[in-house]
Amino acid sequence: GQQVMQIPQYQHVQEGEDFTTYCNSSTTLSNIQWYKQRPGGHPVFLIQLVKSGEVKKQKRLTFQFGEAKKNSSLHITATQTTDVGTYFCAGRRTGFQKLVFGTGTRLLVSP
Amino acid sequence: GAVVSQHPSWVICKSGTSVKIECRSLDFQATTMFWYRQFPKQSLMLMATSNEGSKATYEQGVEKDKFLINHASLTLSTLTVTSAHPEDSSFYICSALPGGSTTEAFFGQGTRLTVV
């Protein structure tokens, strides 16, 4: 079945440092979404990427969709303590409605 | 954004009993709803996809007779954990997809189930 892996599993950074999480799917995706989940909370939608090679920015967050539409990345510039949480990518295959979540990357930011 | 309400937010039940979790889309019609389970420090694992008015599609390894899903209306889906056991203790989250949409899925707040 479809698998979506993320690396790293966990990263601990100092406030102000950059952070990147990588997402790799075993199958080609029609689109990929990114979510953030705070401890004890539910996933909150961040963004969706659809086009091959697409890059989108949201303030300090930069999202990229690979040319082959099988991988994606999320980069946070100058992390802040409010960035703490687990970041999940979630992919959809063409013709399927279901979202398959990646394994997640847990980010801890120390002041 | 659209609101999905999940109830209860937490529940404790005895082994052998059944628990029903509700997922409601408050301001949109959801033709499709998804049920996920999340164990501590793990990812969301899709359990099943439910479409209004039809039988749910279960993921491989998920027992359909144990996890009963009903999507009787365009705004309500329910998940019933039957004959619950301690290993069923987990965080259950629903998400709803507005009709005709292939974009953002809206998530409920989740239900933390503890079976004692």
Side-chain angles (χ1 to χ4, degrees):
Chain A
Q2 181 186 0
Q3 291 186 333
V4 183
M5 305 296 291
Q6 280 180 255
I7 55 170
Q9 279 188 306
Y10 169 80
Q11 188 150 14
H12 184 180
V13 301
Q14 292 294 121
E15 192 171 25
E17 292 182 336
D18 292 355
F19 160 77
T20 304
T21 171
Y22 299 91
C23 172
N24 289 285
S25 170
S26 59
T27 58
T28 302
L29 303 170
S30 63
N31 59 66
I32 196 157
Q33 300 179 5
W34 284 90
Y35 290 81
K36 177 183 178 181
Q37 185 179 26
R38 292 183 182 274
H42 61 89
V44 174
F45 176 81
L46 294 177
I47 208 159
Q48 174 173 276
L49 304 169
V50 179
K51 298 177 184 176
S52 169
E54 188 171 14
V55 177
K56 286 189 176 180
K57 291 191 175 184
Q58 284 182 353
K59 297 183 181 179
R60 296 178 294 105
L61 278 60
T62 302
F63 305 84
Q64 188 168 6
F65 201 8
E67 295 289 342
K69 300 184 78 174
K70 294 183 72 174
N71 56 71
S72 181
S73 65
L74 158 59
H75 179 81
I76 302 179
T77 303
T79 54
Q80 299 175 359
T81 54
T82 52
D83 294 327
V84 164
T86 301
Y87 293 85
F88 292 101
C89 62
R92 247 193 212 112
R93 292 169 62 185
T94 303
F96 291 80
Q97 286 183 314
K98 67 180 183 182
L99 267 177
V100 176
F101 276 75
T103 47
T105 296
R106 185 172 158 225
L107 173 64
L108 185 61
V109 181
S110 294
Chain B
V3 178
V4 174
S5 175
Q6 191 173 335
H7 178 81
S9 55
W10 61 270
V11 58
I12 301 173
C13 71
K14 292 184 178 180
S15 287
T17 61
S18 295
V19 173
K20 181 185 281 188
I21 302 170
E22 292 188 348
C23 180
R24 293 180 185 272
S25 56
L26 298 186
D27 50 2
F28 66 97
Q29 292 185 330
T31 53
T32 305
M33 289 188 175
F34 304 94
W35 287 95
Y36 293 86
R37 181 165 58 181
Q38 186 178 34
F39 292 107
K41 296 187 179 180
Q42 292 189 23
S43 184
L44 283 76
M45 300 302 296
L46 181 65
M47 299 175 67
T49 302
S50 75
N51 291 292
E52 186 267 337
S54 63
K55 289 184 179 180
T57 303
Y58 289 81
E59 294 298 303
Q60 194 172 9
V62 178
E63 300 175 59
K64 61 180 181 181
D65 294 330
K66 180 169 181 63
F67 299 100
L68 301 179
I69 292 172
N70 186 294
H71 193 161
S73 78
L74 285 171
T75 59
L76 174 65
S77 177
T78 60
L79 166 68
T80 301
V81 183
T82 62
S83 186
H85 291 284
E87 57 264 32
D88 297 326
S89 299
S90 187
F91 191 50
Y92 292 86
I93 311 177
C94 69
S95 75
L97 202 60
S101 171
T102 58
T103 56
E104 179 181 354
F106 300 96
F107 282 82
Q109 306 94 318
T111 297
R112 188 160 302 282
L113 170 64
T114 302
V115 184
V116 298

